Amino acid sequence: MTILYHSGTFFIGIGLLFFLSGTVGLIRFPDIYTRLHALTKADNIGLGFVVCGLSLQSGNWAVIVKLLLIWLLVLIASSASCHLIASSGMEKKIKPWTRP
Amino acid sequence: MGNDSCSSTSTAWKILGRRIFFRLLIFSFLWYALAGSDKASWLLGVPAVLLVTAMSLWLASSSSLNIHLLAVFRFIPFFLHQSLRGGIDVMHRALSFQQLLDPGLVFYTTLLAEGSARILFVNCISLLPGTLSAELKGDQVTIHTLDQGMPVWANIQRLEYHVAALIGRTTGNKKSL
Amino acid sequence: MSWLHIFFALILLPAVAVGMIRILKGPTAADRMMTAQLFGTCGVAILLLLGAGMANPVLIDIALVFALLSALSTLTFVRRTWQPGKKKHDDPLS
């Protein structure tokens, strides 16, 4: 029980690291495409780790299924909106930043 | 002749039966997950599940998908591993003191059939390490990559292989979901 | 009441707050919308952590609705605000 709880805490901690680095990427990266990379990947993995950690701690199957459903929903939604924003950007002829 | 048409209608019924069965199963499971184990909730749940099953059959009547269950179990670990690598890659680039970005565009022509397979492919590209699907026109996918030194093509081809194994498009008679 | 989870949720708050810089700096509307997306994902995580910390399972349902709404908002933004009156036939999501 306590092992599960502590490993859950560990997972949540890793998830938070991903969230923070996603925000750093959103601020630091030079154009909308690179920022989309940071936002989509880091936040999805971060939420995945948080969901995993909470599932390990909860021990209730109904809650675990619901948590996984939320993650799946966020995955689908964010990858679809990521593609939408990127393709609209391409259509508006926003040039990707390249290394000078 | 008559015998032949009879057997084809019976397989059509079998396909429809399978589709209805799987949808009922999935939507009942979803209701159970969302509403909890309270039995009274099924007063609303049973009509809702039936309605949603009918609606999804109606909306997706033209497309007949063939999802291979075994491939699902190979796809999920592949997907999780790749998106974990993608997350670590982005984290590394975001937090390092140097500027590690060398972005560029890659053009790829997919062999996947139009419809669900292609949509799944394009959505998964954005979760792979270093790639982001920027545009889809027909079978031409424009991919934005964070680093042109990465093996973008190899990654994409592996993803395409997995998606193709997952979703086979059928023209009619095979079992479908 | 689990203080650990509430502490975790508090760590996520600066992640959201720093994202505000992107709203101020822009430069395009899409950059600002991306911060809204960040709020969506971080908001879901914060709600889940609070739900565990305060032992209140209702918050999980709120997180579910939050996830649904943030997806819808991005879709609406791209379709209606960033590209008003545009319809594409080859777009799989239209």
mmCIF file of all heavy atoms in Angstrom, chain B residues 31-32 35-43 45:
data_model
loop_
_atom_site.group_PDB
_atom_site.id
_atom_site.type_symbol
_atom_site.label_atom_id
_atom_site.label_comp_id
_atom_site.label_asym_id
_atom_site.label_seq_id
_atom_site.Cartn_x
_atom_site.Cartn_y
_atom_site.Cartn_z
ATOM 1 N N TRP B 31 -20.681 4.422 -19.989
ATOM 2 C CA TRP B 31 -21.698 4.897 -19.050
ATOM 3 C C TRP B 31 -21.365 4.438 -17.636
ATOM 4 O O TRP B 31 -21.468 5.211 -16.684
ATOM 5 C CB TRP B 31 -23.093 4.400 -19.456
ATOM 6 C CG TRP B 31 -24.126 4.919 -18.516
ATOM 7 C CD1 TRP B 31 -24.565 4.331 -17.375
ATOM 8 C CD2 TRP B 31 -24.804 6.168 -18.607
ATOM 9 N NE1 TRP B 31 -25.481 5.123 -16.746
ATOM 10 C CE2 TRP B 31 -25.651 6.261 -17.478
ATOM 11 C CE3 TRP B 31 -24.797 7.217 -19.535
ATOM 12 C CZ2 TRP B 31 -26.464 7.354 -17.253
ATOM 13 C CZ3 TRP B 31 -25.609 8.304 -19.304
ATOM 14 C CH2 TRP B 31 -26.425 8.357 -18.175
ATOM 15 N N TYR B 32 -20.954 3.178 -17.536
ATOM 16 C CA TYR B 32 -20.605 2.644 -16.223
ATOM 17 C C TYR B 32 -19.452 3.439 -15.620
ATOM 18 O O TYR B 32 -19.462 3.777 -14.435
ATOM 19 C CB TYR B 32 -20.235 1.162 -16.356
ATOM 20 C CG TYR B 32 -19.774 0.563 -15.054
ATOM 21 C CD1 TYR B 32 -20.689 0.247 -14.064
ATOM 22 C CD2 TYR B 32 -18.423 0.336 -14.818
ATOM 23 C CE1 TYR B 32 -20.275 -0.280 -12.868
ATOM 24 C CE2 TYR B 32 -18.005 -0.196 -13.619
ATOM 25 C CZ TYR B 32 -18.932 -0.500 -12.646
ATOM 26 O OH TYR B 32 -18.514 -1.009 -11.454
ATOM 27 N N ALA B 35 -20.930 7.132 -14.849
ATOM 28 C CA ALA B 35 -22.032 7.313 -13.900
ATOM 29 C C ALA B 35 -21.813 6.555 -12.600
ATOM 30 O O ALA B 35 -22.525 6.775 -11.631
ATOM 31 C CB ALA B 35 -23.343 6.880 -14.540
ATOM 32 N N GLY B 36 -20.859 5.632 -12.587
ATOM 33 C CA GLY B 36 -20.634 4.885 -11.358
ATOM 34 C C GLY B 36 -21.541 3.680 -11.254
ATOM 35 O O GLY B 36 -22.319 3.383 -12.170
ATOM 36 N N SER B 37 -21.446 3.009 -10.127
ATOM 37 C CA SER B 37 -22.104 1.704 -10.023
ATOM 38 C C SER B 37 -23.549 1.796 -9.532
ATOM 39 O O SER B 37 -24.197 0.774 -9.336
ATOM 40 C CB SER B 37 -21.293 0.816 -9.083
ATOM 41 O OG SER B 37 -21.063 1.514 -7.884
ATOM 42 N N ASP B 38 -24.051 3.001 -9.310
ATOM 43 C CA ASP B 38 -25.422 3.161 -8.834
ATOM 44 C C ASP B 38 -26.410 2.566 -9.853
ATOM 45 O O ASP B 38 -26.430 2.959 -11.020
ATOM 46 C CB ASP B 38 -25.709 4.659 -8.641
ATOM 47 C CG ASP B 38 -27.032 4.862 -7.936
ATOM 48 O OD1 ASP B 38 -27.731 3.856 -7.687
ATOM 49 O OD2 ASP B 38 -27.364 6.032 -7.646
ATOM 50 N N LYS B 39 -27.227 1.592 -9.400
ATOM 51 C CA LYS B 39 -28.106 0.901 -10.354
ATOM 52 C C LYS B 39 -29.175 1.828 -10.916
ATOM 53 O O LYS B 39 -29.617 1.675 -12.046
ATOM 54 C CB LYS B 39 -28.764 -0.298 -9.676
ATOM 55 C CG LYS B 39 -27.814 -1.472 -9.523
ATOM 56 C CD LYS B 39 -28.576 -2.766 -9.286
ATOM 57 C CE LYS B 39 -27.610 -3.910 -9.043
ATOM 58 N NZ LYS B 39 -26.866 -3.731 -7.753
ATOM 59 N N ALA B 40 -29.606 2.812 -10.131
ATOM 60 C CA ALA B 40 -30.665 3.705 -10.595
ATOM 61 C C ALA B 40 -30.225 4.518 -11.802
ATOM 62 O O ALA B 40 -31.057 4.939 -12.602
ATOM 63 C CB ALA B 40 -31.089 4.634 -9.458
ATOM 64 N N SER B 41 -28.910 4.688 -11.955
ATOM 65 C CA SER B 41 -28.441 5.510 -13.070
ATOM 66 C C SER B 41 -28.762 4.854 -14.411
ATOM 67 O O SER B 41 -28.834 5.527 -15.433
ATOM 68 C CB SER B 41 -26.946 5.750 -12.958
ATOM 69 O OG SER B 41 -26.238 4.636 -13.442
ATOM 70 N N TRP B 42 -28.964 3.525 -14.398
ATOM 71 C CA TRP B 42 -29.243 2.834 -15.668
ATOM 72 C C TRP B 42 -30.619 3.150 -16.202
ATOM 73 O O TRP B 42 -30.916 2.878 -17.363
ATOM 74 C CB TRP B 42 -29.052 1.330 -15.514
ATOM 75 C CG TRP B 42 -27.607 0.993 -15.427
ATOM 76 C CD1 TRP B 42 -26.906 0.745 -14.298
ATOM 77 C CD2 TRP B 42 -26.678 0.912 -16.507
ATOM 78 N NE1 TRP B 42 -25.589 0.521 -14.595
ATOM 79 C CE2 TRP B 42 -25.422 0.613 -15.939
ATOM 80 C CE3 TRP B 42 -26.776 1.080 -17.883
ATOM 81 C CZ2 TRP B 42 -24.280 0.468 -16.707
ATOM 82 C CZ3 TRP B 42 -25.640 0.926 -18.648
ATOM 83 C CH2 TRP B 42 -24.413 0.624 -18.066
ATOM 84 N N LEU B 43 -31.510 3.730 -15.339
ATOM 85 C CA LEU B 43 -32.811 4.200 -15.827
ATOM 86 C C LEU B 43 -32.608 5.178 -16.976
ATOM 87 O O LEU B 43 -33.319 5.163 -17.979
ATOM 88 C CB LEU B 43 -33.567 4.920 -14.694
ATOM 89 C CG LEU B 43 -34.443 4.058 -13.805
ATOM 90 C CD1 LEU B 43 -35.042 4.908 -12.708
ATOM 91 C CD2 LEU B 43 -35.536 3.399 -14.634
ATOM 92 N N GLY B 45 -29.407 5.466 -18.239
ATOM 93 C CA GLY B 45 -28.283 4.921 -18.985
ATOM 94 C C GLY B 45 -28.694 4.032 -20.140
ATOM 95 O O GLY B 45 -28.136 4.142 -21.226
#
